[in-house]
Amino acid sequence: MIVVGLVAIAARLIWPAVPSAVAVVAVLALLLGLVLPIRAVTRSVIRRRDARTLSAALGTGTPLDVSTAPTRKLVGAHDALLTEAARGAIAAPDAVELPHQALTEGATLLRGRAAEGVAEHEYVQARVTAITFLTPELARVRPVPAIADAPDAVTEDAVRTAAVEAIRDLESRTGGGSVERIDSLRAAAKRTEP
């Protein structure tokens, strides 16, 4: 279509006797012929940019393949414990940090692949078991509402503040939290915009 369009346009320019309708058809043929190549180039550029963005995002984190039962159980135990901690359990600061640490340990060992072999399954399962046994203990130990005149009373606000401090401490030791990583990913995306 591109060749036909170019030939028809050249014919119109060289021989003015060629009807102007041919020139209009030639321009339309040229434009239609350019649609697919332009679309292919645009898609290629978008795919490369998305691949760079994904690579940068995965490069700052540790992926966890949840296609096997041990890693699915680890993620489930992690989520269950965080749910319990969010209900105001007294050990909330450690309950927020420790299951994440166990999840990070499993992800670090596996490095984005599925758990294979007895040793890897046992390593992940040990973390699942530890988290699973801690969850009902947290449910049993609910904070007692603080009595205003008791000098050593732990308030709910103090527990929540301690949980936030534990998360910030964990983020600083693991290279930043999601907010910092999202900001750096956004900055990288802005730098690569055409």
Side-chain angles (χ1 to χ4, degrees), residues 27-49:
V27 169
L28 288 174
L30 180 63
L31 291 175
L32 285 174
L34 290 173
V35 167
L36 289 177
I38 289 172
R39 193 168 103 189
V41 168
T42 304
R43 285 184 176 176
S44 174
V45 168
I46 290 171
R47 273 194 302 271
R48 275 186 264 144
R49 186 181 66 201

Side-chain angles (χ1 to χ4, degrees), residues 13 23 52 63 71 80 85 102 126 132 156 164 169 173 178-179:
L13 292 174
R52 281 192 311 270
T71 51
T132 303
E156 183 177 340
V164 170
D169 179 55
R173 286 189 279 138
S178 61
V179 173

Side-chain angles (χ1 to χ4, degrees), residues 105-131:
E105 289 169 353
T108 302
L109 170 75
L110 299 173
R111 298 197 178 275
R113 54 184 178 71
E116 295 177 5
V118 175
E120 288 181 350
H121 281 254
E122 287 176 354
Y123 185 86
V124 173
Q125 186 58 45
R127 278 136 190 84
V128 171
T129 303
I131 295 171

Side-chain angles (χ1 to χ4, degrees), residues 149-163:
D149 56 341
D152 295 332
V154 177
T155 64
E156 183 177 340
D157 187 49
V159 171
R160 291 178 188 272
T161 300

Side-chain angles (χ1 to χ4, degrees), residues 73-84 99 103 131:
K73 288 178 184 177
L74 180 59
V75 171
H78 170 268
D79 292 348
L81 185 54
L82 289 183
T83 300
E84 192 56 48
L103 192 67
I131 295 171

Side-chain angles (χ1 to χ4, degrees), residues 49-96:
R49 186 181 66 201
D50 289 347
R52 281 192 311 270
T53 302
L54 179 61
S55 176
L58 290 177
T60 59
T62 307
L64 180 64
D65 181 346
V66 292
S67 64
T68 59
T71 51
R72 276 196 306 274
K73 288 178 184 177
L74 180 59
V75 171
H78 170 268
D79 292 348
L81 185 54
L82 289 183
T83 300
E84 192 56 48
R87 291 186 180 135
I90 196 70
D94 285 337
V96 170

